[in-house]
Amino acid sequence: MLDRLAAGLAAAALRLPPARTRRVTVTRDIALRVRDGVILRTDHYAPDLPTAPTVLIRTPYGRAGPMRLLCRLAAEQGFHVVIQSCRGTGGSGGAFEPFVHERDDGLDTLDWLRRQRWWTGAFGMFGASYQGFVQWALAADAGPQLRAMVAVATASTTRDSTYAGESFALDTVLTWAELLQAQTVPWLARQWELKRGQPKLTAALSHLPLIEADRVATGVTVPFFQEWLRHHTPQADYWRSRVFDDRLHLVSSPVAMVSGWHDIFLPAQLRDYQALRATGARPRLVVGPWTHGSPGLFVAALREGLRWLDTHLCDEQAGEARAAADTHRSGPAAEAPVRVHVGGAGGGWRDLPDWPPPADVVRWYLHPGAALRTSDPVPSPPDGFWYDPADPTPSLGGPLLVAQRAGPFDNRPVEARPDVLTWTSEPLVAEMEVVGPVRAEIHLRSELTHLDVFVRLCDVDGRGRSWNICDGLVRLDPQRFPADHSGAVVVPVEMWPTAHRFAPGHRLRLQVSGGAHPRYARNPGTGEPLGAAVTLRGGFREIMHDPDHPSAVVLPVVHSASQPFPS
């Protein structure tokens, strides 16, 4: 009764369509045995509807709390909802090894679904983050009975996100390891740790060597954390069986993707979108002003996901009648293949035929005097700074796993540090919308051959506040980035894609620094192995910006006919 009441209140608050039924029978802790004998604990939410299709959710985050509410809401919308705890989590047997068993366990679960008396021959999948990885693990082999996928803040591969720029996403990986381990401790103990500000995790993020950081954070050795430290090179065989992007061309079901501009998996998810488009598919893409795990992302994913599942799973005639009655569920805006939110003053939602949209590629060059201009670079000496990994440049906001610490922040505290260089434009004379992929090309010299380059684009408002828009990091070593005869290295930095409107009077600012810790593991400067490094070596580096070394940030500018650039 309480679950039914909570679902009704939530549906009203979230402005969901009217329920198809309030009568839902819940069967918990079903013992589903997979091929190697492991029992996967599974719950089934059965609506009182004779032809209801099925929605499968597989998760390592438990089946209670918010997931219970989500399943109830989806069941009342007309779906058999089957939610299963991945092996080694939520009461399921076996050991949790990220990505290893998800294909086989998913296929065995699908075989179980086909043998249920309420099975109608059609199913969809729904989920965010790791719940999306398990979808991609199964999708290529699920066959034509898979009619729809809703992949939220996720991607078919995590390797590129884990080692962005061939660095190591320390904050994301260690925080996730701590979160998974926290599910095994009593609830009160967990609340006390959160109230204290997670001091163990904070200490672990600064601990060296990294091979001990998992034990500092959780009290135990986390096998996958150790493995990810060992198998970090691009050639590592370890990841070949743990990524699923090489099978996207075999996925035939319609896919809806929902993400946020400050989500940790956004670049990889947009690559998935473009890979599906290359096969002739027409996935749906929604990117909003959200971070990973933020409430806004959850609400948007639920609304978008239920609409997508209803369109592709439910009876066509019933769906058409329902769409006519619920115009907020499928209106003109919902029909656009791509919908993105443009940030900044005067932004808002834009409907696009594809991603990325057509744009003018505009280079903003670094100039002497800390200036950022569209005019060609001029002869000038480089600007330099000292980076000390013992006092690493801190990360502030941006794409992080924890929603409360992610997103846009005023970057002036970081920009005031001596190890952060900035270049700033004159105030814009007209608005400028930047929508699409962003990249930078940084020319530098360094006394060290092992170093990181972190680049961040900011919007400086009329009060001087510097809001981060997008960024990227690249880890350099002498094999991948050999210096030329003058000692200069050209560093291409792929930054997060964005959609942002720079208002008239605002200024663009580009930061260049030697890292963003603990979002990325600090570069020790020695070339020691990732997990074993303990020696920290600081060094001086120069950022060059003369005609022979034209350092710049490259922006995709739309609606550029208004000529927003200062002369």
Side-chain angles (χ1 to χ4, degrees), residues 171 175 198 201 205 395-398 400-407 409 518:
D171 184 276
T175 301
Q198 297 179 278
L201 177 60
L205 290 169
S395 55
L396 180 62
L400 296 171
L401 183 66
V402 178
Q404 296 91 328
R405 296 191 286 111
F409 282 78

Side-chain angles (χ1 to χ4, degrees), residues 206 208 386-393 417 419 448 450 514 517 521-526 534-539 541:
S206 298
L208 291 177
W386 178 275
Y387 176 77
D388 181 6
D391 180 24
T393 313
R417 290 175 58 102
D419 56 0
L448 302 180
H450 294 273
H517 183 268
R522 74 189 97 182
N523 194 318
T526 60
V534 291
T535 303
L536 301 178
R537 182 184 177 192
R541 60 211 59 181

Side-chain angles (χ1 to χ4, degrees), residues 401-424:
L401 183 66
V402 178
Q404 296 91 328
R405 296 191 286 111
F409 282 78
D410 184 355
N411 275 234
R412 286 179 294 179
V414 171
E415 293 169 354
R417 290 175 58 102
D419 56 0
V420 178
L421 300 181
T422 63
W423 288 262
T424 308

Side-chain angles (χ1 to χ4, degrees), residues 13 58 140 143 210 291 314 446 470 474:
R58 303 191 63 250
L210 289 180
T291 60
C314 293
S446 171
C470 62
V474 171

Side-chain angles (χ1 to χ4, degrees), residues 172-182 214 218 222 224-225 401:
T172 291
V173 176
L174 191 57
T175 301
W176 189 57
E178 194 272 345
L179 183 153
L180 290 171
Q181 183 62 27
D214 54 346
T218 69
V222 180
F224 78 80
F225 183 81
L401 183 66

